[in-house]
Amino acid sequence: MTSTSTTPPRQSAAERLRAEHGPALTLGDDCDLPDDLQVEIDPGAHLSLGDRVSIRRGSTIQVHRGATIAIGDDVAIGEHTFISAMVGISIGAGAALSNMVDLHDHNHRARSATNTPDGELVPCASGFEGAPIVIEPGATLSNKVTITAGVRIGANALVGANAVVSRSIAPDTVATGVPATGHRTFDGVPVPREHPRTLTVGFFGTSIMEHLEAVNAQMTTQANLPEVGSKVTVEGWAQRGWVHRLTLSLRAAWAHIAFDVRNHGEGGATSRDIAGIVEADRATTGTDYDIVFLGCGINDVWRGFQGRVSEAVDLEEYTRHLTGMLDQLSGYTRRIVVISETPFGPIEDPDTVTSMNAELARYNAAAAQAAAAHGALFLDVWAPFTAAARHLTGDPAGLWSDGVHLTELGDTVLLQQTERLLAEHRIVEKLLDYPLLERHAALKAYAPMFARHRPAGA
């Protein structure tokens, strides 16, 4: 009598994971997964792996309740790597994670009285905060790299071994260290971009921010300029001046970032008017800003010297309006810069101008105090402006077109001071990180970034 025995075919890692997690897992074709890969997917969470994903032994992927992890095509993940999401982690196509890389998109919140009102001495009593981690296509993370919550690694970036990346890294950049910083750039290959970073920048102020100029397309088309002595028709108005030039400077310096610039400057506006503009903007658009530049006061003072008493705003009312705007803007703006007003130029006789500037200086001092009380930066352009006027050869009045509005040279002084402040405080670099939010708020706020990686209705 002959007996035969059959051994069931060995189940692959992919088959095991599909059986364990069902629709919570989207798994592409031709993936190379180790038998000991640990995958934990909580209810309401989703893990998506693209085609030809390779993961080496000893690695763990955790997708906590409601979160999403999306790993693109042709991603390679080394041994003993740990990936844990409470909000969302995106790893772009062709990215490479070496051995013992750690990605956590969340932190324990501080064990403060607010976060632990019951005073519980248990590990998770204070709750969690989180923000997405985005690793763009083609990026490479070397051995033992740690990526913290809210960080974006640019396309093709190369992060050196043992680095701790707590700030976003630009594309085509070599970064090393603790904390990791970029040391050099290179000519990277073109890669697809997913949900590129956009910074929303708001300007609230007077005509010095608005800076309208007459526009005719022919006037700016180098190949079709009008003949000298000919006439052109004004076709409209465009905002130029230092705000326009700063916008161009930001876009040139940070070409991989989109800047949504909203200039709400208004000619002739007092602090009373600008407070209304801030209120109306929030009520009608609901815009959250990454950075706001706020400046006012010159018209508050000027109206009094013009005899337009009903339109003038005294210092007490000015301070009240400015404080109110800072209170409101602080609720939905990540960084606020209060800009001092520029001094009056030769708009009246010298004694009157001296009196006007003495009064305007009091408003600027109040603005500096209000900014400090709200944790906003204060940019004092008064001192460099008066220094430039004092030392300017040939035409000391060359900073003003009419004693109030600025020439291109005056605009350049403002531009330089603003760029210096941005660089000194590394404002743009810090704003590139995704803001940390309480865990549940973060899931709601960042859900649109990961919607396409989840099944319909999930």
Side-chain angles (χ1 to χ4, degrees), residues 411-426:
D411 280 328
T412 302
V413 175
L414 262 70
L415 175 66
Q416 290 179 338
Q417 294 304 310
T418 307
E419 289 179 325
R420 177 192 60 77
L421 181 85
L422 292 174
E424 180 181 322
H425 293 274
R426 300 183 63 245

Side-chain angles (χ1 to χ4, degrees), residues 259-284:
F259 289 92
D260 179 9
V261 177
R262 306 185 181 201
N263 187 347
H264 300 286
E266 183 169 299
T270 64
S271 61
R272 188 184 301 150
D273 302 316
I274 297 168
I277 293 170
V278 170
E279 183 71 33
D281 173 63
R282 187 59 180 174
T284 56

